Amino acid sequence: MAATAIASKVGGLSSLTKGVTGSSKLLAVAAFNKASSANIHSKTSGNLEPRLKPWDYKKYGFDYVHSLFDGTTKRFTDNSKLLVVEGPPALGKTEFAKALADELDMKFVPGFTMEDFYINSYGYDLRELDYKIQHDRVKSFDEKKFAQNPTGQDGGLDRMLFNLHMCRYMQHVDLLAHIFNTGEGVVTERSPHSDWVYFDAAYQQGWIDRSTKSHYYRMRDLTIDQVLRPNLIIYLDAPVDVVQSKIRERSKTTHPWEANSPVWENTEYLENLYGNLMKKQYLKLAAESSMVLQYDWSEGGDTEVVVEDIERLNMDYHDKYDKQQKDWRLLTEDGFASKRNLYTHKGDLLSQWMDPFWNADKLIWSSAEGLELEKIKMVLPGNEYRAGFNTILGDPEPFFNFKFGIGREKWYQDAPYHVENAHGDPQMFHEDKLRKSRKAAGMADWWKV
C-alpha cells in the first residue's frame, strides 16, 4: 500500500514523553495519578482504559446542579477524542471510518446527508410528497439531483449546501455532547469546519449565487467559534482521474444517478475542490489546531497502519500557548462543565440560525412558496407533533405516557427542520380524514393523498 502518513505537527512527536508539569492534559484533568500518556489506544494494544457509566444526558440534560455531583473530566480517557474522516467520494471512507471506530473503541456516526434531512425518525420521506408541490423551488433537492443538474430548481444547490451546513453543525454539537457526557470518542465523516471549501468550489463554478456565499460566511463567522475543532483529521486522498474512475464504476451498481454526471465528470471542479481548496488551504489551516494524517487511498489501504500512526501521535501534551489542540484545553472542571452544558442543551446554539439577515435571494421563499412548504412538512406522517407523540403512528397517548425526561429524549429524534403545525384549512382537514381512513383500511401509501 502506498499510504504515507503525514502528521500535521511532526515536531510535536518528540514531546510524547513530556510530563504533566508545565502542560495541560487534553480531556484528562482527572487523570493526574496515572502515568503520563498522550496517545489514543487501540483494542489490539491492550491499553484501552475502562470507561465509567455514561451520564444519561438525553433524559436528564446537564445543568449547574448536575455539575455539583457529576464531574465531566472523570469520564475522559485517552480515547475521548473527536476524529473526522475527509476526502473525495467513492474511496470507501465510510467503511474505513467504521473499522477505525471499532478498533479504537469509539462510536461511529455517519456524516450528515440530505437523506437524513428528508427522512424523519418514523421512516417517512418528505421527498415522496414532491408530487403535491406546485412551486418548483419548494421541491426537494438532494445529492442525486445535484449530481444530475447542479444549477437546477433556481438555487436548489444554494439551499442544499446551507441546509447541510446547519444540520452538520448541529450534528457536530451532538457529537461533542456525547463525548462530554459519556467519555466515548467519536469517529465521523465531514465537519462543519470544512464546509467552506464546498461553498467556494460551487461558487467558482457558477453554481451558487454570490449572496448565498456571503450569507454563509456571515453566519459561519457568527457561529463556528462555538464548536470545538476535531482532535484529528484523517484525509483519504486519490488523484482526480482515479476518483472519477471509481465514481463511474459505482454508478453502474449502487449510484446510477452519478452516471455521466456534469459534476463528477467536471475535472476542473474536482481538482479545485480537493486538490486546491481542501488540501492546500483547508488542511494546511486545520493542521494548526488539529492533528492531520493524509493517505493515498487510490487502491484502498490498511486500517491497521492508520491505527499504528494514530497511536504514535502526541494528542494531549502541548505548551499552553500552542495552537495545537487549543480548543480542547479548557483547563478547569468548570470550563469543561460549561461546554458540556452548552452542547447538551444546544438551544442557544440552535437559536443562532434564526438570523436577521435577508439578503440571500436563493435561500428565501416567496410567501406562496413558504406557505406551501410549511403545509407539506406538516402533513408528512410523524411531523405534526414531536417524535413520540404521534398517536396515528402507534405512539401511546401522551396523557398515559407521561414520564420524566420523555420530552427531552424524543427531542433527539425530531426532524432537523422546523415544522409549523398551526396551519389549517378545510382542504387540509379533509385530507387528514382521508389519511386516517386509508390507514385504517390498511393501504400501503395511506399518507399520499
Side-chain angles (χ1 to χ4, degrees):
M1 178 193 69
T4 304
I6 304 173
S8 66
K9 294 286 286 185
V10 176
L13 293 176
S14 62
S15 61
L16 280 171
T17 57
K18 185 175 180 181
V20 175
T21 305
S23 68
S24 298
K25 189 175 190 309
L26 167 67
L27 297 184
V29 175
F32 282 174
N33 314 353
K34 303 185 301 182
S36 299
S37 173
N39 307 73
I40 291 178
H41 302 294
S42 66
K43 291 179 179 178
T44 305
S45 72
N47 294 323
L48 282 176
E49 303 169 85
R51 289 193 301 269
L52 297 179
K53 181 181 178 181
W55 174 259
D56 192 353
Y57 63 101
K58 291 184 178 181
K59 180 176 183 179
Y60 300 112
F62 183 79
D63 294 304
Y64 172 72
V65 173
H66 300 125
S67 71
L68 297 178
F69 60 86
D70 190 78
T72 300
T73 57
K74 68 181 182 180
R75 289 192 178 84
F76 291 139
T77 69
D78 291 327
N79 283 32
S80 300
K81 305 287 195 296
L82 176 59
L83 279 58
V84 173
V85 178
E86 299 266 11
L91 296 184
K93 296 188 301 296
T94 300
E95 292 74 15
F96 165 77
K98 287 180 180 178
L100 183 65
D102 180 66
E103 178 59 25
L104 298 179
D105 193 33
M106 294 182 177
K107 179 180 181 179
F108 167 70
V109 178
F112 195 93
T113 68
M114 292 305 288
E115 195 90 352
D116 303 300
F117 183 84
Y118 286 121
I119 301 178
N120 64 21
S121 61
Y122 293 91
Y124 292 96
D125 193 337
L126 190 62
R127 293 171 293 189
E128 294 188 36
L129 292 178
D130 277 355
Y131 73 93
K132 293 174 63 72
I133 298 175
Q134 296 179 359
H135 298 89
D136 193 52
R137 275 171 32 104
V138 176
K139 292 179 180 179
S140 63
F141 192 93
D142 56 14
E143 293 87 352
K144 297 178 182 179
K145 288 188 176 181
F146 165 61
Q148 296 166 352
N149 182 9
T151 59
Q153 294 181 217
D154 189 18
L157 180 58
D158 301 64
R159 295 184 289 277
M160 185 187 90
L161 287 177
F162 197 75
N163 282 330
L164 281 174
H165 175 65
M166 287 193 295
C167 293
R168 190 172 290 116
Y169 182 98
M170 294 311 301
Q171 182 190 57
H172 196 82
V173 170
D174 288 341
L175 302 185
L176 293 171
H178 180 81
I179 294 173
F180 275 65
N181 283 285
T182 69
E184 182 182 31
V186 173
V187 178
T188 189
E189 305 164 274
R190 290 280 300 271
S191 159
H193 293 278
S194 66
D195 278 346
W196 66 266
V197 305
Y198 295 89
F199 277 86
D200 277 18
Y203 174 72
Q204 290 167 18
Q205 288 293 318
W207 294 343
I208 65 173
D209 192 73
R210 179 188 293 272
S211 64
T212 301
K213 179 186 171 185
S214 299
H215 180 73
Y216 161 73
Y217 272 104
R218 179 179 290 183
M219 292 306 301
R220 186 183 193 278
D221 291 342
L222 289 173
T223 59
I224 203 67
D225 63 330
Q226 293 291 330
V227 290
L228 307 186
R229 286 166 285 197
N231 297 106
L232 172 63
I233 300 169
I234 302 171
Y235 187 76
L236 305 185
D237 193 21
V240 168
D241 62 322
V242 174
V243 172
Q244 290 178 317
S245 175
K246 290 180 177 291
I247 289 175
R248 294 185 196 110
E249 192 62 32
R250 75 177 187 180
S251 71
K252 299 175 183 177
T253 54
T254 59
H255 292 61
W257 56 88
E258 292 179 345
N260 302 312
S261 166
V263 173
W264 305 122
E265 293 294 338
N266 187 332
T267 302
E268 178 190 7
Y269 168 70
L270 293 177
E271 288 179 344
N272 182 43
L273 172 57
Y274 296 109
N276 178 31
L277 294 172
M278 180 64 80
K279 290 200 293 184
K280 294 182 180 179
Q281 296 187 44
Y282 170 68
L283 291 182
K284 182 179 179 181
L285 179 64
E288 296 180 1
S289 55
S290 306
M291 290 292 184
V292 175
L293 293 175
Q294 183 175 328
Y295 299 87
D296 183 354
W297 219 254
S298 301
E299 300 178 2
D302 191 341
T303 305
E304 290 183 10
V305 173
V306 180
V307 170
E308 291 171 0
D309 291 337
I310 292 174
E311 289 182 308
R312 285 192 288 266
L313 290 176
N314 169 21
M315 296 298 296
D316 291 348
Y317 293 115
H318 301 279
D319 183 87
K320 64 180 179 180
Y321 299 111
D322 195 343
K323 291 182 180 179
Q324 185 60 231
Q325 308 293 319
K326 181 181 179 181
D327 286 9
W328 296 80
R329 290 200 294 276
L330 302 175
L331 303 179
T332 66
E333 186 66 38
D334 283 347
F336 283 96
S338 177
K339 286 293 187 184
R340 182 179 171 189
N341 169 265
L342 179 68
Y343 299 141
T344 301
H345 289 284
K346 69 180 181 180
D348 290 342
L349 297 175
L350 189 60
S351 66
Q352 294 177 116
W353 301 102
M354 300 177 186
D355 61 87
F357 309 124
W358 306 100
N359 60 342
D361 296 337
K362 301 299 182 183
L363 304 181
I364 298 174
W365 308 110
S366 67
S367 297
E369 289 171 337
L371 184 59
E372 183 177 40
L373 179 60
E374 289 298 338
K375 289 182 177 180
I376 287 294
K377 289 192 294 187
M378 193 182 81
V379 300
L380 185 72
N383 276 6
E384 185 172 5
Y385 304 108
R386 177 172 287 182
F389 297 93
N390 293 276
T391 54
I392 191 174
L393 299 179
D395 290 336
E397 288 288 346
F399 184 80
F400 301 105
N401 190 37
F402 178 79
K403 61 181 179 180
F404 179 77
I406 187 173
R408 181 186 301 280
E409 288 179 292
K410 297 302 182 182
W411 184 29
Y412 287 87
Q413 300 173 25
D414 248 1
Y417 46 81
H418 174 71
V419 178
E420 177 56 69
N421 64 357
H423 293 291
D425 56 42
Q427 179 64 27
M428 291 183 69
F429 294 143
H430 173 65
E431 290 183 356
D432 188 49
K433 292 179 180 179
L434 284 178
R435 280 189 287 273
K436 290 179 179 178
S437 61
R438 285 162 61 91
K439 189 175 189 302
M443 298 179 66
D445 290 333
W446 59 271
W447 51 287
K448 296 180 181 179
V449 176

